[in-house]
Amino acid sequence: MAETTGSTDPANPTTDSISPPDSKINHAASLDYWNGVPATSNAMLAMLGNYPWYTRIDLRGSKTFLNKIRRMISGATTEGKLKSAVDCGAGVGRVTEGFLSHVCEVVDAVEPVEKFTAVLQASPLKASGAVGNVYVMGIEEWVPEKKYDLIWTQFCVGHVTDVQLGTYLVRCRKALVETGVIVFKENISTDPNGWDMYDEEDSSVTRTDGKFRALFKEAGLNVIASELQLGFPKNFKLLPVRFYALRPKS
Ligand SMILES: C[S@@+](CC[C@H](N)C(=O)[O-])C[C@H]1O[C@@H](n2cnc3c(N)ncnc32)[C@H](O)[C@@H]1O
């Protein structure tokens, strides 16, 4: 699935050595790739390898993880819906439609591909007010205009460099309400040498767990919980998917 080129020193994952994988990221190439994916109701499945069962397992796992986090955060109510969330790298709104809109009153979205955001804009969720602002831009450009209970970032950070990801995390940290939480749900590198992996097909990087944790720390965030998404059939040899729940360091 992902090709490994370039290197990052595994012992010091934020220190780039020669030609680090994220230096190969080309935003124009990523957007070309995603613009070539049909923006139909099946688009999310196409993005996820056309496995219809994938999205069911994925969304159920997300709901269970968020419930755990809500129980952990002192002062946060576990009853009822959260007030506001944002779905970052939202695509056509698979996560918003299948999960976030069930647990949050209003869900904003950040997504750079206009034909995907057009699907969200035209959805009944937008008409009902369950989808709020839709920002047509990459996460590297997005500057939050309000505070959120939940900033959900899934399967998209591979499209930004380590530096861009670091500054995005700092902006997200500052955009949380007092009991707010950032959740990352991302593929994890399986490179045998512990390197991030560059994938030429969509010009993205799959990071190691160590790299993610170093970036979270640098951005002033604590990992309050982290676990693997379970339940994907092993014979498909998919990359591991890991959740991280992040709160500002006190
Ligand atoms: C694998 S899809 C995931 C979509 C959605 N998060 C989901 O899980 O169904 C990756 C998404 O990242 C978007 N993307 C590409 N570059 C991005 C960037 N710089 N910032 C945010 N999202 C980006 C793509 O357009 C695409 O919608």
Side-chain angles (χ1 to χ4, degrees):
M1 191 177 166
E3 185 195 343
T4 310
T5 55
S7 68
T8 298
D9 178 359
N12 188 4
T14 56
T15 303
D16 291 335
S17 39
I18 299 160
S19 190
D22 72 322
S23 69
K24 298 182 173 71
I25 290 172
N26 175 332
H27 291 296
S30 298
L31 295 184
D32 276 355
Y33 172 83
W34 287 109
N35 269 302
V37 173
T40 64
S41 53
N42 283 331
M44 289 301 124
L45 298 180
M47 288 177 184
L48 296 168
N50 246 335
Y51 305 136
W53 42 264
Y54 188 106
T55 203
R56 264 197 318 274
I57 296 169
D58 169 64
L59 296 172
R60 203 170 46 219
S62 296
K63 192 169 181 201
T64 305
F65 184 73
L66 183 66
N67 280 341
K68 271 187 216 168
I69 299 312
R70 288 186 71 183
R71 282 194 294 271
M72 278 176 70
I73 299 174
S74 89
T77 170
T78 54
E79 295 299 316
K81 287 186 168 184
L82 294 169
K83 279 205 166 14
S84 64
V86 55
D87 182 359
C88 292
V92 298
R94 181 187 69 93
V95 176
T96 288
E97 190 187 347
F99 159 55
L100 290 173
S101 62
H102 305 183
V103 294
C104 305
E105 283 170 14
V106 179
V107 185
D108 290 348
V110 181
E111 165 58 49
V113 174
E114 204 161 354
K115 70 177 190 178
F116 295 160
T117 59
V119 173
L120 258 174
Q121 294 280 17
S123 77
L125 288 174
K126 180 70 182 165
S128 72
V131 167
N133 295 331
V134 179
Y135 301 96
V136 189
M137 59 184 70
I139 56 169
E140 71 280 12
E141 290 174 316
W142 178 60
V143 179
E145 293 170 334
K146 61 185 190 206
K147 303 227 176 203
Y148 293 98
D149 294 285
L150 176 63
I151 300 180
W152 192 272
T153 304
Q154 179 165 357
F155 298 152
C156 70
V157 301
H159 292 298
V160 299
T161 65
D162 291 358
V163 170
Q164 288 171 329
L165 184 50
T167 53
Y168 166 73
L169 282 163
V170 170
R171 290 195 299 275
C172 289
R173 171 168 59 78
K174 293 178 180 165
L176 290 175
V177 301
E178 198 163 339
T179 54
V181 64
I182 300 166
V183 175
F184 265 44
K185 185 172 187 180
E186 291 290 338
N187 287 316
I188 299 295
S189 169
T190 51
D191 179 79
N193 298 310
W195 295 341
D196 296 346
M197 305 188 298
Y198 179 70
D199 186 346
E200 223 171 333
E201 190 185 9
D202 62 352
S203 193
S204 70
V205 158
T206 303
R207 295 181 168 87
T208 63
D209 177 56
K211 168 63 74 65
F212 274 123
R213 288 175 190 269
L215 289 168
F216 298 149
K217 193 170 170 193
E218 271 177 32
L221 290 160
N222 278 331
V223 179
I224 60 161
S226 178
E227 61 187 53
L228 288 171
Q229 164 74 59
L230 301 178
F232 295 139
K234 296 225 178 334
N235 50 326
F236 283 87
K237 295 198 168 50
L238 299 170
L239 287 172
V241 173
R242 182 167 278 283
F243 292 97
Y244 300 94
L246 310 169
R247 294 259 306 141
K249 281 183 191 158
S250 40

